[in-house]
Amino acid sequence: MPKRLTIKDIARLSGTGKSTVSRVLNQQGDVHPETRKRIEAVINEYQFTPSRPARSMRVKESRVIGIIMARLDSAAENQAVSAMLPLLYRHGYDVLILESRFSTDKVTEHLTVLKQREVDGAILFSFTGLTAGMIAGWEPHMVLMVHPCDGFSSVCYDDAGAVQMLADHLFQQGHRRISYLGVNQSDKTTGEDRYLAYLTACKRLSLTPHASLGTLEYHSGYTLAGEVCGEGITAVICATDSLALGVYKYLGEHPAQQITVAAIGNTPLLGFLFPAVITLEFGYANAGELAARQLLAHLAHSAPARTYLLNGQLNTEIAG
């Protein structure tokens, strides 16, 4: 008696994955018509009939999306992922969340795991140093967050525009000694792009630059605050809201210094503790939902790759 055909055999003969074969057998609609035809041709040729245990297993089989975050403790990334999850769940996907800690080796390792798990797609929070070659082959099944990459859909933020918007607002308020607390330029977007935008704004507004660069964490903001809150400074632009928290801790210990703080990001804790802060937010939740919708469109083969560049929204209302 010939060997009974399995779902794995059908996937091999049709050049697809087991999860795709399962979706065809379950009559789910998010399979490309040409792919569906190939799978159905193999099923008809071999007169495949799933066994009762196989049918039972298929009912329990989940569709999976992988999300690779850069930092699990990032407020911005958590806001984005929190908006992704309900949408992905509504479309019948389970979600596997991993963390790269800005390591390209970790991204490669995680993508290998996701491939072995035969996930349907992935959302990757990209960062400086991650190249197209490292994620090649994922183009039809992946959306990038933060950093764009040729051939991939991405959701990015207008970092330069955000800094210039804050600088213009402070200038209009009468500030002429505006310092900047940022991130090392080894980071392309949060670091280099935002810092260069500050220098550009200073040149355009005829201001003297006064900046210090460190890491993303709030304790870096606290450590470097003394360098950007010196004599004569009336306002400081922080590249992130976590840095702003560090600055406020420093100012709390030096109450004689009256300095206006402006920051990119809008962690609720910042506005709650320091209602006078000026913030500019990109709408991280909206960005996450946009990334999830774009990925779903890719998986349904109904959208080409595209890049979204999100502008910031200035919030100057003092919280109550």
Side-chain angles (χ1 to χ4, degrees):
M1 176 181 289
K3 177 184 175 183
R4 181 182 180 87
L5 209 63
T6 66
I7 293 178
K8 184 176 181 180
D9 294 327
I10 296 173
R12 176 176 53 80
L13 292 168
S14 61
T16 61
K18 290 190 296 182
S19 61
T20 305
V21 174
S22 180
R23 293 202 296 275
V24 171
L25 291 170
N26 286 320
Q27 299 181 345
Q28 294 170 335
D30 57 339
V31 178
H32 192 277
E34 291 299 322
T35 302
R36 184 181 295 276
K37 285 181 182 179
R38 292 206 312 273
I39 293 172
E40 290 176 343
V42 173
I43 291 172
N44 292 333
E45 179 181 353
Y46 289 89
Q47 297 183 336
F48 173 77
T49 302
S51 65
R52 182 174 300 174
R55 285 195 299 270
S56 175
M57 289 176 63
R58 272 205 320 280
V59 169
K60 297 178 183 177
E61 187 176 82
S62 298
R63 298 185 295 166
V64 179
I65 296 295
I67 298 177
I68 303 179
M69 301 175 65
R71 294 168 52 215
L72 288 173
D73 61 353
S74 165
E77 292 185 29
N78 273 284
Q79 288 177 47
V81 171
S82 294
M84 296 174 189
L85 297 181
L87 182 59
L88 296 175
Y89 292 154
R90 285 201 302 271
H91 282 77
Y93 288 97
D94 285 334
V95 176
L96 178 62
I97 297 178
L98 302 166
E99 182 188 40
S100 71
R101 300 301 298 181
F102 301 104
S103 165
T104 55
D105 289 339
K106 273 294 181 186
V107 169
T108 300
E109 178 184 321
H110 291 334
L111 290 178
T112 298
V113 170
L114 294 179
K115 187 174 182 180
Q116 292 171 344
R117 290 283 302 270
E118 295 187 326
V119 300
D120 296 87
I123 296 174
L124 169 63
F125 285 80
S126 186
F127 51 88
T128 303
L130 198 63
T131 66
M134 296 176 185
I135 53 178
W138 284 87
E139 291 87 343
H141 313 289
M142 178 179 284
V143 173
L144 303 178
M145 294 286 294
V146 185
H147 280 256
C149 194
D150 290 341
F152 288 82
S153 278
S154 58
V155 178
C156 307
Y157 308 116
D158 184 4
D159 294 284
V163 172
Q164 300 225 24
M165 192 181 300
L166 287 176
D168 287 343
H169 177 74
L170 292 171
F171 188 85
Q172 290 165 9
Q173 285 191 325
H175 294 283
R176 297 297 183 267
R177 293 293 307 279
I178 304 172
S179 64
Y180 177 81
L181 180 57
V183 178
N184 295 321
Q185 293 184 75
S186 56
D187 180 292
K188 176 66 171 65
T189 52
T190 308
E192 182 180 27
D193 289 352
R194 296 184 186 184
Y195 173 57
L196 293 180
Y198 166 72
L199 296 180
T200 299
C202 287
K203 184 176 182 179
R204 176 169 52 83
L205 299 172
S206 298
L207 303 178
T208 301
H210 189 89
S212 185
L213 306 180
T215 60
L216 286 164
E217 293 79 11
Y218 67 88
H219 63 260
S220 178
Y222 173 73
T223 301
L224 297 175
E227 299 181 13
V228 294
C229 295
E231 184 177 354
I233 297 295
T234 62
V236 56
I237 296 174
C238 298
T240 71
D241 45 15
S242 58
L243 291 175
L245 283 171
V247 171
Y248 270 116
K249 176 175 172 59
Y250 171 87
L251 292 175
E253 298 171 355
H254 300 78
Q257 294 181 264
Q258 300 297 314
I259 294 179
T260 298
V261 179
I264 298 175
N266 193 18
T267 302
L269 179 63
L270 180 62
F272 176 74
L273 293 176
F274 310 104
V277 67
I278 298 170
T279 58
L280 185 145
E281 58 178 319
F282 289 111
Y284 297 118
N286 292 335
E289 183 174 344
L290 180 58
R293 290 191 182 282
Q294 183 67 9
L295 180 60
L296 291 170
H298 277 314
L299 299 181
H301 302 279
S302 62
R306 63 171 297 182
T307 296
Y308 297 89
L309 183 64
L310 305 185
N311 298 316
Q313 179 73 37
L314 191 64
N315 177 22
T316 59
E317 295 182 5
I318 297 179

